[in-house]
Amino acid sequence: MRIGVLAVQGAFEEHIDVLRRLGAETVELRQQHDIRDLDGLVLPGGESTVQGKIIRETGMFEPLYELICGGVPVLATCAGLILLSEKLSNDENVWFGTLPVTVKRNAYGRQLGSFETVGDVGDIRKFPEVFIRAPYIESVGEGVTVLSSFEDHVTGVRFGCQIGLSFHPELTADTRVHEYFLSLV
Ligand code: GLN
């Protein structure tokens, strides 16, 4: 099982640690030629605008887009969720646009920039959720399953093999979300 982890910026090392602990082989994706023979893809948190620009500049955009459209399982957290979203309500950019949701960037404002809570993620009960300048999902399109919510907003979805989360499962010791992702691979 070979999982590509986008490694241009942000919290990719933490994802790699969790995936290795679970026995997966990981590949850091920095250049176009890193994108081959992948069974799964992780898009980590960080700064989506920076990540999106680097993906375009390095020529990784097209092969990643094809991989996602081809149905390879994707785990996208925070900035990764933003990269997948079909629409951003407070930003003109659209990156991959493969996940039919509308997302609001930095949705919890500066006052509540970072916080932690505990919630269910699909069938996973009481998962520790770390939010860092997080987006939330304002609306979901047809065929999208809601996996998690916090207060009145959706924070996790699945559409086909794409999982998009507002929070950071890689920053906790709980590996159940990564296990769920690997079960799709
Ligand atoms: N605020 C970041 C963005 O808009 C996402 C934050 C994160 O990935 N922790 O890209």
Side-chain angles (χ1 to χ4, degrees):
M1 192 163 12
R2 242 168 90 90
I3 311 295
V5 180
L6 183 68
V8 295
Q9 189 268 342
F12 55 89
E13 280 170 2
E14 292 84 348
H15 277 290
I16 291 172
D17 282 350
V18 182
L19 292 167
R20 287 199 179 146
R21 267 193 280 143
L22 294 174
E25 186 191 341
T26 56
V27 187
E28 294 188 9
L29 307 179
R30 297 175 192 277
Q31 300 176 59
Q32 204 176 2
H33 64 73
D34 298 327
I35 305 169
R36 62 194 150 76
D37 305 329
L38 299 179
D39 305 308
L41 174 67
V42 172
L43 301 175
E47 183 54 46
S48 56
T49 311
V50 175
Q51 293 182 357
K53 281 184 182 150
I54 298 176
I55 291 169
R56 288 228 165 101
E57 284 163 13
T58 52
M60 288 199 284
F61 186 86
E62 284 300 324
L64 287 176
Y65 180 73
E66 277 166 27
L67 205 64
I68 299 166
C69 291
V72 154
V74 188
L75 175 62
T77 58
C78 210
L81 164 67
I82 294 167
L83 292 186
L84 287 187
S85 301
E86 192 179 77
K87 191 171 188 293
L88 303 174
S89 62
N90 56 351
D91 189 304
E92 284 175 358
N93 287 307
V94 176
W95 304 100
F96 296 117
T98 53
L99 185 61
V101 295
T102 299
V103 162
K104 184 175 183 183
R105 291 183 64 194
N106 301 315
Y108 295 96
R110 286 179 200 282
Q111 294 301 320
L112 197 56
S114 303
F115 60 97
E116 280 186 49
T117 182
V118 174
D120 295 344
V121 184
D123 291 336
I124 302 168
R125 300 281 168 242
K126 296 190 178 164
F127 190 82
E129 299 172 350
V130 180
F131 292 77
I132 303 170
R133 293 187 303 109
Y136 63 55
I137 297 161
E138 286 188 331
S139 62
V140 302
E142 214 164 294
V144 175
T145 303
V146 172
L147 295 177
S148 60
S149 304
F150 172 65
E151 293 177 339
D152 290 336
H153 298 288
V154 175
T155 56
V157 291
R158 174 170 167 190
F159 178 68
C161 280
Q162 300 175 61
I163 301 168
L165 304 174
S166 297
F167 51 89
H168 290 265
E170 77 285 7
L171 298 183
T172 68
D174 193 325
T175 57
R176 287 178 294 163
V177 164
H178 287 81
E179 287 168 46
Y180 171 55
F181 162 63
L182 290 177
S183 77
L184 305 180
V185 173

